[in-house]
Each structure stands twice: as structure tokens, then as C-alpha cells.
């Protein structure tokens, strides 16, 4: 099949991919939905959404993700966090996958990651599934039709769910494989229908490439003040901390919800869409995201729905709690048209402290910001996972360890330096528990969190009186208009202050134990503020 002035088969032949069936090149959303429905990959939902399920893989497969150990990356990959693959095993995997592809139809999208043209990465994505091609068209940024004529990809992703890897032949762990070869500029994905592997592969690429260009890649959401892109805020946070909810402020412009870069020129979104969790989503709490679940071409992933009415069940997690929807960024009414912002004025690090120890907000110095960024702390609570009977700490460095190909200190140092250079103010915000740990205390009032964030973003919080926290060393405001003063001092919210002291000492010890792995690599300023 030929589209426009370009023969897509020839373009793939140049990459060693031959004897395919039909090649569908840069189809638009209506055509991709038609092809997905024709192939019975999903069902047409309300408003023209596409309802799909991802089979046995309802999330990413981090234990099946590999980096090919080539000389060019040998000394720069964080091998303790990234599984190595032998180059010969990758070559065999590539050859076998290409042979498997022969005679089959494929869908190609030529896209890019990064809204700033100076730092963007041109990526060709080759998908076996039409709905995967629709998904990645939403998630990455789309060149104009004229730009496609001269498009040359810097990296290529081949995603073939029906191909099952052989651990013995291909040097992997199972039939599922995600293999990144930085030298050959090629990523191979097989044995999984979970669409998020497409998106996170590009994020991993950018996390490796951009630091050498002076760009800090960040797993964060971002927004800026209406009419003032210079007033930019970024929000770091692991799952369950409120990153998407708190950055979706109707009075600010959304730059993006998940992946950004901080360059010498400012902030830019890597993506062209959003991939939002839909578990317990409601029109009242998150009307903008809820609205996308009935908008044309939104991909609805792993959600239970009524066979007759096609009504979605946002509370039924029988398929997975990781149910999601993928849609283009412009479906959010207050989304930025450029996906660009200034240098962050405010940096928000969100944590859900189920131990009930951390204050609802604290101001961090640049060194403390690097410390908490490298720590990436949140906590699991009883009932969320089998065997969890009391709060458990979770430390995911840089708030996104699975996507970090370089050592964490590379990113931490970049962040500290940029904060110091551009005068950003960093705040640690606890959306977890107060008045006691999970099971005893209560969840931090969302009204108080929003009031504190508003004061932080408009600059008024900086004028408050602060006290030094005795356990963690950061600055905590003593009083903030609209927020109960007792809430700002977690020890006072506990019925038993001595029990608080014991819990605080316990949590500080967990921080210190986790941070020991970085101490040989970090700047002296960060060592000086280390907890414990």
C-alpha cells in the first residue's frame, strides 16, 4: 500500500524489513480505528472511543526490559538498574523478529518526542496492531503532513506482540522482551500487548540522550500561569500521590501530565497526549479527564463496560486496577498549544506518607531537593498488596527508576544545578496521612493541600515564618492563611507525641538506609543534608 508520494515499504526495506503484507503509513485516527475494528482488535465505544484489552499483560514488564551492552554505552549505563543483553543475542532477536514479520500487515507512524525542536527526537514506530499505532500517535508528537516527506528517523521501535522470544536464543528472561540498542538506534518489543511499552521506550531513550545536551529529563507533570509561561511549575510524584490531579488546575495552563525536559531554554513536554488512570475516575473530581472517555479516538484500555450500552464501569478493577485512557493533549481544554514553558519557578515533589510523619508542605534547599529527588519516597498502605499489613516505604529514585538508563546522580546533579542557577523554589508536599499512621490517622485534607499549593505557586508562602524540622532538616511554615496551624506541625496532630517521635525516627532511618547507595557518588552539599 502506498500513501502520498512515498513508498513506505521501501522506507522499511532500507531498515532491513522486507516481504511484509500491507504497510499502512501514517494513517490518521479515523483510518486507524477502521483498521482496528476490521481486525477485531477492539470495539467502538461511546463517542467513537476504541475499547481494547491488553491480554495477560496489563502493565509494563520491567523485568523483561534490556539494554544492549555495546562499547558506546558500556561506561554510562546504570547496570544495577538495567538488565544487559549481549549484542549477538540482540542481533539474533532482531533477525528472528523480522523473519516473523514477513507476510504480515504493519502500521507505521513517524513521530517525535519533544515539543522543543532543538531537542526533539524523531522516532519511527512500527506496530503489528492498529490500535497500538493509534495509541502512540496520541502519545507522541505528530509532524505536519509536509514534514513527513523528508522525515528521517533517528530511532526505530518495532513492536510485535505475536512474536514470542526464546530466552535461550535471545538472552532474555521470558517470551516477553523489550530490548534497547543505543548503537543501532533500534528498540524491539515482543510478547506483550500492553501499549505503555511503546511510550516508555521513548522516555527511556530521552532519559539517556538529553543529559549530554544539558537537558534534565523529568518524570513529572507541568503547568504555567494563565498568560504567563514564565511562571511554570513542575510536579514530581509516584503513583497515588496526586500528580495528575494536583497539576490539573483549571486556573493554570497544562503543559503536560507525565514527561518533560528542562533545557537551557525552559520547560517542554516530551509528549503530545495523556495516558491517564481511570480507576474511580469521576466527572465531579476530574471532569476534564472524565470527558475524554467519550471523545472520538480516545483509547480505553482494560476497562469493564456494558455490552449493550457501552457504559464504562470506573469502579470495576476485575481486569486490572491499572485501567487507562489515552488521548491527545488538546482534548484538555486548558492545555498549552505549544507545550512549552519557562524555567520552573516552583518545583513540587509529591509524596504520600502513610506513616503520618511528614508535614503537609516543606521548603527544600537545592541540596535537599536533590536528596529527596534521589530518594523518590512514597509509601504503600495495608490492603493495597497481598501481605502488606502496615505502611511500607517505597523509594523510586528520580520518581521513575524503571526509566532511568543512567546513574541517578546524573539526574540529581542536573536538577540541583538548575534549581540553583534559575532560582526555583522546591517544595515537598505530603498528600498522605496526618494525626497518625494509616489505620489510625486520617488522609491529608485535599482542601488544605490545594491551599498550600496555591500559596506556594503564587509566591505568598515564601513570606511565611518557617521553623526547622528536627527530624528532616527542611523548613516548615508555621502558619498559612486558610490552613489549620496544627496541621503544619504533624507532631501536634498525634494523640501521643512520643509515638510520633518513634515513628519519625523510624522513617528517618529508612531514608538513611535507602540513601546509603548514593553517598559515594553525590556532591558534598548533598552529603551535608543527608538524613540520619
Amino acid at each position: 500500500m502506498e500513501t502520498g508520494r512515498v513508498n513506505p515499504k521501501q522506507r522499511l526495506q532500507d531498515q532491513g524489513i522486507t516481504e511484509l503484507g500491507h504497510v499502512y503509513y501514517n494513517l490518521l485516527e479515523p483510518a486507524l480505528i477502521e483498521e482496528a475494528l476490521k481486525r477485531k482488535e477492539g470495539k467502538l465505544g461511546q463517542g467513537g472511543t476504541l475499547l481494547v484489552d491488553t491480554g495477560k499483560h496489563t502493565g509494563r514488564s520491567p523485568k523483561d526490559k534490556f539494554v544492549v551492552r555495546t562499547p558506546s554505552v558500556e561506561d554510562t549505563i546504570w547496570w544495577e538498574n538495567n538488565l544487559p543483553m549481549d549484542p549477538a543475542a540482540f542481533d539474533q532477536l532482531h533477525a528472528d523478529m523480522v523473519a516473523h514479520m514477513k507476510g504480515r500487515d504493519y502500521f507505521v507512524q513517524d513521530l517525535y518526542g519533544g515539543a522543543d525542536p532543538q531537542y526533539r527526537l524523531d522516532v519511527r514506530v512500527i506496530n503489528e496492531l492498529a490500535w497500538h499505532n493509534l495509541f502512540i500517535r496520541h502519545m507522541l508528537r505528530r509532524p505536519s503532513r509536509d514534514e513527513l516527506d523528508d522525515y528521517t528517523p533517528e530511532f526505530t521501535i518495532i513492536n510485535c506482540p505475536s512474536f514470542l522470544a526464546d530466552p535461550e536464543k535471545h538472552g532474555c528472561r521470558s517470551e516477553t522482551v523489550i530490548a534497547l540498542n543505543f548503537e543501532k538506534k533500534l528498540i524491539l518489543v515482543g510478547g506483550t500487548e500492553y501499549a505503555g511499552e511503546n511510550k516508555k521506550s521513548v522516555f527511556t531513550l530521552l532519559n539517556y540522550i538529553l543529559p549530554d545536551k544539558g537537558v534534565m529529563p523529568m518524570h513529572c507533570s507541568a503547568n504555567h500561569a494563565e498568560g504567563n509561561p514564565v511562571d511554570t511549575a513542575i510536579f514530581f510524584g509516584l503513583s497515588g500521590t496526586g500528580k495528575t490531579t494536583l497539576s490539573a488546575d483549571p486556573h493554570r495552563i497544562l503543559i503536560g501530565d507525565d514527561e518533560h525536559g528542562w533545557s537551557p531554554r525552559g520547560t517542554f513536554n516530551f509528549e503530545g497526549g495523556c495516558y491517564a488512570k481511570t480507576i474511580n475516575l469521576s466527572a465531579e473530581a476530574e471532569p476534564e479527564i472524565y470527558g475524554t472517555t467519550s471523545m472520538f479516538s480516545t483509547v480505553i484500555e482494560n476497562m469493564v463496560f456494558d455490552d449493550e450500552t457501552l457504559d464504562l464501569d470506573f469502579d470495576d478493577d476485575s481486569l486490572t486496577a491499572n485501567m487507562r485512557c489515552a488521548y491527545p493533549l488538546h482534548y484538555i481544554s486548558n492545555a498549552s498549544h505549544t507545550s512549552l514553558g519557562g524555567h520552573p519557578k516552583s518545583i513540587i515533589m509529591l509524596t504520600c506518607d502513610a506513616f503520618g510523619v511528614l508535614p503537609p508542605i516543606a521548603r527544600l534547599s537545592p541540596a535537599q531537593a536533590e536528596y529527596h529527588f534521589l530518594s523518590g519516597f512514597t509509601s504503600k498502605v495495608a490492603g493495597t498488596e497481598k501481605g502488606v499489613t502496615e505502611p511500607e516505604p517505597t523509594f523510586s529514585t528520580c520518581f521513575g527508576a524503571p526509566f532511568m538508563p543512567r546513574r541517578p546522580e546524573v539526574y540529581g546533579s542536573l536538577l540541583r544545578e538548575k534549581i540553583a542557577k534559575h532560582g526555583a523554589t522546591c517544595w515537598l508536599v505530603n498528600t498522605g496521612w496526618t494525626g497518625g499512621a494509616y489505620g489510625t490517622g486520617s488522609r491529608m485534607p485535599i482542601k488544605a493541600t490545594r491551599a498550600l499549593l496555591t500559596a506556594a505557586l503564587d509566591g505568598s508562602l515564601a513570606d511565611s515564618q518557617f521553623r526547622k524540622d528536627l527530624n528532616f532538616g527542611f523548613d516548615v511554615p508555621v502558619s498559612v492563611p486558610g490552613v489549620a496551624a496544627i496541621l503544619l506541625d504533624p507532631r501536634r496532630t498525634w494523640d501521643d507525641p512520643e509515638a510520633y517521635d518513634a515513628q519519625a525516627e523510624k522513617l528517618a532511618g529508612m531514608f538513611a538506609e535507602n540513601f546509603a547507595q548514593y553517598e559515594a557518588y553525590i556532591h558534598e552539599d548533598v552529603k551535608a543534608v543527608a538524613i540520619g
Side-chain angles (χ1 to χ4, degrees), residues 182-367:
F182 286 100
E183 201 163 88
K184 294 197 170 182
K185 299 182 182 296
L186 182 62
I187 298 176
L188 306 177
V189 183
T192 173
E193 292 185 32
Y194 183 66
E197 300 289 9
N198 295 277
K199 160 189 155 76
K200 289 305 184 185
S201 292
V202 177
F203 186 41
T204 303
L205 286 178
L206 291 167
N207 278 331
Y208 183 78
I209 293 167
L210 291 179
D212 283 343
K213 299 181 179 182
V215 178
M216 171 67 187
M218 304 177 292
H219 188 210
C220 69
S221 56
N223 63 27
H224 68 71
E226 289 184 298
N228 186 12
V230 173
D231 185 2
T232 294
I234 57 176
F235 299 76
F236 292 104
L238 298 172
S239 180
T241 58
K243 176 165 62 82
T244 299
T245 300
L246 293 172
S247 64
D249 185 333
H251 303 297
R252 293 175 65 86
I253 303 300
L254 181 68
I255 300 173
D257 80 327
D258 198 38
E259 300 168 5
H260 295 81
W262 184 353
S263 80
R265 294 146 57 101
T267 308
F268 64 99
N269 193 354
F270 289 167
E271 300 184 305
C274 301
Y275 191 32
K277 285 188 176 181
T278 55
I279 182 73
N280 303 134
L281 188 67
S282 72
E284 294 73 30
E286 296 182 88
E288 291 272 7
I289 298 174
Y290 186 89
T292 69
T293 62
S294 58
M295 296 175 75
F296 178 74
S297 83
T298 292
V299 176
I300 308 291
E301 192 179 78
N302 294 324
M303 285 194 70
V304 174
F305 58 89
D306 187 283
D307 286 334
E308 291 186 14
T309 66
L310 302 176
D311 287 336
L312 300 171
D313 190 332
F314 293 90
D315 301 315
D316 188 338
D317 63 356
S318 57
L319 293 178
T320 176
N322 192 35
M323 58 180 78
R324 291 179 179 264
C325 62
Y327 50 89
L329 190 62
H330 66 260
Y331 279 10
I332 301 299
S333 63
N334 65 328
S336 167
H337 297 299
T338 65
S339 294
L340 300 173
H343 294 290
K345 181 180 174 183
S346 302
I347 296 171
I348 311 299
M349 294 185 183
L350 298 164
T351 182
C352 177
D353 172 24
F355 295 86
V357 167
L358 296 178
I361 197 164
R363 185 174 59 190
L364 307 178
S365 68

Side-chain angles (χ1 to χ4, degrees), residues 407-465:
R407 279 206 61 88
E409 301 82 13
V410 172
Y411 309 105
S413 294
L414 257 177
L415 181 67
R416 172 175 45 83
E417 291 163 7
K418 285 184 177 291
I419 289 173
K421 180 177 180 179
H422 298 288
T425 303
C426 187
W427 304 94
L428 182 69
V429 174
N430 174 24
T431 61
W433 271 256
T434 183
Y438 173 85
T440 302
S442 57
R443 195 71 189 258
M444 197 71 69
I446 186 66
K447 186 177 179 181
T449 300
R450 289 195 180 279
L452 290 167
L453 273 178
T454 297
L457 297 182
D458 68 20
S460 62
L461 188 57
D463 297 327
S464 300
Q465 179 185 349

Side-chain angles (χ1 to χ4, degrees), residues 5 118 151 170 187 208 244 276 293 313 354 367 384 476 509:
R5 298 189 292 270
Q118 185 170 332
Y151 183 96
H170 303 134
I187 298 176
Y208 183 78
T244 299
T293 62
D313 190 332
T384 58
V476 182

